[in-house]
Amino acid sequence: MMKRLNGVWLALLLIIFATPSLAADYSQSIAVDGTYEVMFHHCGTTPDGYATNLGYNTIAPAHGSFSNGGTGTLSLAQELADCGTTTGTIPSEIVLYTADSGYNGADSFQFYNSETTINDNYYLAIGIDTGDIPSSVVSAGKNMISSVNFLTKFISIRTASIFRRAAPGVAQGQGGSPAAISSANDLIDDRIDLSISQNRLGISAGDQIDRHGMWGNLGYTSTDDTNLVTASDSSLYTVVAGYDYMLTDTLAMGTAITYENMDEDSQYNLGSAQTDGYSLAPYLSWMVTDYLSFDLIAGYTFVSYEQDRASGTITSSLDAQRYFMQSAINNFYYKDNWTFVANLAYLFAHESQEGFTESNTTVIPENKIDIAQFTAGLEVAYGFAHVEPYLLLAFEYDAKYDAVLGVDYDRTGGDVGFGLRMNFLDSLTMDINGASKFARANFNEYSFQGNLRYAF
């Protein structure tokens, strides 16, 4: 048994850590009709010529072209430093990028790096200048999706857990655990979610269902945007309190109230922003069949902004209204001590910012931002007597995102996380987890949260 468990954990660790090497990203702002010298890393014993370097191009630019840049202006010290050595031969001829005539926007391309054996990504902002734009305009979309994603993701985990291990018909037909094949009326409480059998929790089969649940959550999210024209980093702190009630054995409703605070430092305008948000989010969970549930979350957030730019010399403040909705379908499967939960979700969020005037008399008009996102996810959990570790994996696609000034935005990405559910008393449970975004170009995000719930 121990060997089998060791093999399971080894496989999970390989999934988490056996990720490919990440490519290097280079960002630069150039003028309309401007040029850019591609930074090469091919430091061999003989110089690479223009034709050889051009052959490393794996993704061509959409709004520019390449030509022979000759020796260029890249310094010897810079080239050698990028090659990771203090000796060597730098290219005698480079590739020169020239933007299409009159084009104003973003462009990108990719070259294979023979030194690192991975691809390097290049992102150019052509004629784009966000230095004179306040953070509430440039960063609002990415900050809103981070905030709403965190809240809806946590509530989704909560709603899905209400009916976990309440699928007796499916479990009996598939060799499920003792908890999975017990009566659904005896398995609604989250105490049993954390156990493989009722006997391990010391709960008799005749105990009354705890229909009420009160819970609290603390969370932290860190984001880092490395795109040249939107570069910033932020910290989001979230406090959530919730209550839910089981109307019937297959229908539960609840509500959550939230306070959030976000601090952002924005490099693109030498500024910063602080936001405070207050949310109300009712939710519903319905066990449609023995193995399928449907969740619905709707919410409203009032957001206040305090921000500055130009090293604090220009200040402003404003208020905004945010609305969001998420629907999700969850499919449960039990096998011995394992629990698998697959889900498909759709999220929509809208923020409406009021117009305002900066301290230097610049008038900023009303701004509206919309996002829409599809998510397909999987939770894999293994239950012990009072502890249940689990792995989360999700893939995201942003069907709608209001990009800033035409800057390229990576619509696809993913989320991977690991958590632990614990049962301390008959009615008290704790859930802690951490997660990280992956496969989003020029964007990183890490989140951590802890939840405590009391059932009665």
Side-chain angles (χ1 to χ4, degrees):
M1 177 66 176
M2 186 58 66
K3 290 183 178 179
R4 184 172 58 138
L5 290 179
N6 289 339
V8 169
W9 293 123
L10 177 60
L12 292 179
L13 289 174
L14 288 175
I15 292 173
I16 296 174
F17 294 110
T19 55
S21 300
L22 298 178
D25 293 331
Y26 295 89
S27 298
Q28 183 64 48
S29 180
I30 63 175
V32 175
D33 300 329
T35 61
Y36 174 76
E37 296 177 352
V38 178
M39 187 80 71
F40 278 99
H41 306 260
H42 311 300
C43 304
T45 56
T46 59
D48 288 321
Y50 162 70
T52 303
N53 284 337
L54 186 62
Y56 285 107
N57 179 226
T58 52
I59 297 179
H63 304 287
S65 58
F66 293 130
S67 61
N68 191 336
T71 58
T73 60
L74 298 176
S75 70
L76 172 63
Q78 180 65 59
E79 285 291 322
L80 295 179
D82 285 335
C83 291
T85 179
T86 56
T87 62
T89 304
I90 64 170
S92 62
E93 294 183 81
I94 65 173
V95 175
L96 184 70
Y97 169 92
T98 302
D100 290 343
S101 179
Y103 177 72
N104 187 322
D107 201 3
S108 62
F109 49 88
Q110 185 183 84
F111 277 83
Y112 176 73
N113 187 326
S114 65
E115 294 296 310
T116 61
T117 67
I118 56 176
N119 293 314
D120 290 337
N121 301 305
Y122 293 81
Y123 303 93
L124 300 181
I126 305 167
I128 300 175
D129 183 9
T130 53
D132 294 330
I133 306 177
S135 300
S136 59
V137 177
V138 178
S139 300
K142 62 185 178 183
N143 290 342
M144 176 172 67
I145 200 169
S146 293
S147 171
V148 175
N149 254 337
F150 181 86
L151 179 59
T152 55
K153 182 177 72 173
F154 172 73
I155 295 179
S156 294
I157 294 175
R158 166 70 200 120
T159 54
S161 71
I162 294 177
F163 295 109
R164 289 185 58 194
R165 302 200 184 280
V170 176
Q172 287 175 353
Q174 298 170 344
S177 67
I181 62 175
S182 300
S183 168
N185 291 337
D186 297 330
L187 296 174
I188 299 303
D189 184 65
D190 278 351
R191 295 172 292 171
I192 302 172
D193 290 347
L194 308 179
S195 169
I196 295 306
S197 70
Q198 292 177 335
N199 293 333
R200 291 181 180 178
L201 285 175
I203 306 172
S204 66
D207 279 348
Q208 186 177 358
I209 298 173
D210 291 333
R211 294 188 177 273
H212 303 266
M214 298 183 63
W215 52 271
N217 184 80
L218 297 175
Y220 170 76
T221 302
S222 173
T223 62
D224 181 25
D225 182 351
T226 58
N227 191 305
L228 181 68
V229 294
T230 59
S232 65
D233 53 80
S234 66
S235 296
L236 171 66
Y237 302 88
T238 308
V239 180
V240 189
Y243 167 81
D244 46 58
Y245 177 74
M246 289 198 60
L247 300 173
T248 70
D249 292 348
T250 59
L251 182 64
M253 296 184 67
T255 190
I257 55 174
T258 304
Y259 168 73
E260 65 180 59
N261 171 265
M262 177 176 286
D263 291 321
E264 180 188 50
D265 291 322
S266 47
Q267 290 80 49
Y268 55 85
N269 64 1
L270 299 179
S272 65
Q274 297 78 41
T275 64
D276 292 293
Y278 305 86
S279 300
L280 178 66
Y283 56 90
L284 174 147
S285 184
W286 173 35
M287 197 69 187
V288 183
T289 70
D290 286 343
Y291 56 89
L292 198 68
S293 72
F294 171 77
D295 301 332
L296 182 64
I297 305 167
Y300 165 80
T301 306
F302 173 81
V303 187
S304 63
Y305 288 82
E306 296 287 340
Q307 58 189 354
D308 62 73
R309 59 183 179 89
S311 300
T313 59
I314 302 174
T315 62
S316 59
S317 61
L318 69 145
D319 295 330
Q321 316 285 327
R322 182 183 300 164
Y323 306 90
F324 57 92
M325 182 277 296
Q326 177 177 282
S327 57
I329 298 174
N330 307 289
N331 181 221
F332 303 88
Y333 176 82
Y334 307 100
K335 180 65 176 177
D336 299 325
N337 290 15
W338 292 95
T339 299
F340 301 87
V341 183
N343 62 76
L344 183 65
Y346 172 77
L347 169 68
F348 176 81
H350 168 83
E351 181 170 308
S352 178
Q353 300 175 350
E354 65 180 2
F356 60 96
T357 302
E358 295 184 288
S359 60
N360 66 343
T361 70
T362 299
V363 177
I364 306 299
E366 180 184 23
N367 186 32
K368 297 182 184 295
I369 309 106
D370 292 322
I371 59 172
Q373 184 181 83
F374 289 96
T375 303
L378 175 67
E379 176 188 324
V380 181
Y382 188 90
F384 297 94
H386 300 282
V387 177
E388 186 179 55
Y390 59 92
L391 177 71
L392 297 171
L393 181 64
F395 295 93
E396 304 167 340
Y397 172 72
D398 296 342
K400 180 174 178 57
Y401 184 89
D402 292 337
V404 180
L405 301 176
V407 175
D408 286 345
Y409 173 76
D410 193 348
R411 293 179 175 271
T412 60
D415 202 9
V416 62
F418 181 79
L420 193 66
R421 299 187 183 94
M422 294 165 283
N423 169 233
F424 296 107
L425 302 173
D426 284 352
S427 300
L428 189 64
T429 58
M430 176 178 283
D431 187 329
I432 56 175
N433 69 61
S436 173
K437 299 286 186 185
F438 65 90
R440 291 269 188 183
N442 297 315
F443 186 80
N444 299 303
E445 180 178 292
Y446 307 93
S447 62
F448 305 92
Q449 68 91 17
N451 172 263
L452 193 66
R453 182 178 187 273
Y454 177 71
F456 60 99

